[in-house]
């Protein structure tokens, strides 16, 4: 979304992925290396979670703007949710960061965020661009069912434009219909999402990953967002789309009818 907002790319911008790119003497490679995605649009890069495309775009954006957006999306501090003992993010110092750090951060590695930060930022991407204050209780009623106290929506800031947000919704839907999130689809509903498969650097297992997927539905009028993170899964794959995507689908399949959202497709 930050690349769209700053006019770095459009959904149909052509990018090329040979499978890897050298950054600071390190081979920064795609998740399906050595295959690579070849010539592709930015839309395709999002759908296929192309690391090389992210590295190319974030290098054009630059350190300062990237960290501006991290702050804008609420990724540089705890959310202040009304629960005790909330953890704070662990961030690479911008002044000490080098190009490989910027590329790694752009694909969700290098920095460490809480799940609440991640899902709040994702909601801002799809809700029109507005970062909201997380709330736990919607309303308090008395024994007769009368509303005693109701929590109002608190907007902290607008991070991206409503136009960029609408474009991101279309791209996120493509992830589920055509990309790494196909297993997150829910029959009868338009779903958007994004997969994540990040290295876990504080594990004794070098192959340890955190497999995640975040879903939102209906993507044309977002009502529910779901984030599932699997910590060091031991399965046939570590792909967030393959492992966490189906869990998101199961949650949405039950939650959407429960809140009165009927199937439309």
């Amino acid at each position: 979304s930050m690349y769209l907002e700053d006019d770095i790319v459009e959904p149909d911008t052509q990018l090329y992925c040979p499978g890897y790119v050298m950054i600071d003497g390190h081979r920064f490679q795609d998740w399906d290396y050595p295959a690579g995605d070849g010539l592709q649009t930015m839309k395709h890069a999002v759908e296929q979670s192309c690391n090389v495309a992210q590295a190319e775009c974030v290098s054009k954006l630059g350190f300062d703007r990237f960290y501006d957006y991290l702050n804008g999306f609420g990724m540089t501090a705890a959310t202040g949710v009304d629960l005790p003992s909330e953890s704070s993010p662990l961030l690479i110092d911008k002044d000490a960061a080098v190009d490989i750090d910027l590329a790694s951060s752009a694909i969700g590695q290098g920095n460490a965020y809480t799940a609440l930060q991640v899902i709040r930022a994702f909601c801002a991407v799809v809700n029109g661009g507005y970062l909201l204050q997380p709330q736990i209780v919607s309303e308090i009623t008395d024994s007769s069912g009368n509303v005693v106290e109701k929590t109002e929506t608190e907007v902290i800031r607008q991070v991206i434009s409503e136009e960029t947000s609408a474009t991101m919704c279309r791209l996120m839907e493509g992830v589920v219909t055509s990309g790494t999130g196909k297993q997150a689809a829910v029959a009868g509903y338009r779903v958007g999402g994004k997969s994540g498969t990040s290295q876990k650097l504080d594990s004794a297992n070098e192959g340890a990953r955190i497999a995640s997927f975040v879903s939102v539905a209906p993507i044309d009028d977002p009502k529910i967002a779901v984030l599932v993170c699997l910590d060091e899964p031991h399965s046939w794959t570590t792909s967030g789309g393959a492992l966490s995507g189906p869990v998101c689908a199961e949650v949405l399949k039950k939650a959407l009818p429960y809140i009165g959202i009927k199937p439309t497709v």
Side-chain angles (χ1 to χ4, degrees), residues 101-248:
D101 295 323
L102 184 62
S104 296
S105 298
I107 64 168
Q109 298 186 168
N111 296 330
Y113 311 111
T114 66
L116 187 59
Q117 283 182 291
V118 172
I119 197 167
R120 179 173 68 154
F122 188 84
C123 288
V125 169
V126 300
N127 72 5
Y130 300 94
L131 189 76
L132 305 180
Q133 175 60 36
Q135 309 285 356
I136 299 300
V137 177
S138 174
E139 61 184 29
I140 300 174
T141 60
D142 61 21
S143 57
S144 300
N146 300 310
V147 177
V148 176
E149 184 177 334
K150 184 174 180 61
T151 303
E152 300 296 332
T153 299
E154 182 182 341
V155 177
I156 297 174
R157 67 180 73 90
Q158 185 171 12
V159 190
I160 57 175
S161 68
E162 293 194 4
E163 180 183 6
T164 297
S165 177
T167 300
M168 286 303 301
C169 286
R170 293 193 294 273
L171 293 177
M172 296 296 182
E173 186 173 20
V175 171
V176 176
T177 59
S178 307
T180 58
K182 290 179 181 178
Q183 296 182 70
V186 180
Y189 296 95
R190 292 176 60 182
V191 179
K194 186 68 187 73
S195 60
T197 309
S198 61
Q199 290 178 286
K200 187 177 179 183
L201 300 181
D202 59 351
S203 173
N205 178 5
E206 289 187 3
R209 298 290 185 270
I210 297 176
S212 64
F213 199 87
V214 59
S215 288
V216 63
I219 192 61
D220 55 329
D221 185 20
K223 298 296 183 185
I224 300 178
V226 180
L227 171 62
V228 173
C229 299
L230 300 182
D231 188 9
E232 294 195 39
H234 297 277
S235 184
W236 62 276
T237 181
T238 56
S239 165
L243 297 182
S244 297
V247 185
C248 288

Side-chain angles (χ1 to χ4, degrees), residues 21-29 55 58 63 92 97-107 109-110:
V21 61
M22 297 302 296
I23 304 175
D24 293 338
H26 300 277
R27 187 173 64 191
F28 186 83
Q29 60 193 44
V58 79
F63 284 89
I92 297 171
V98 293
D99 290 343
I100 191 66
D101 295 323
L102 184 62
S104 296
S105 298
I107 64 168
Q109 298 186 168

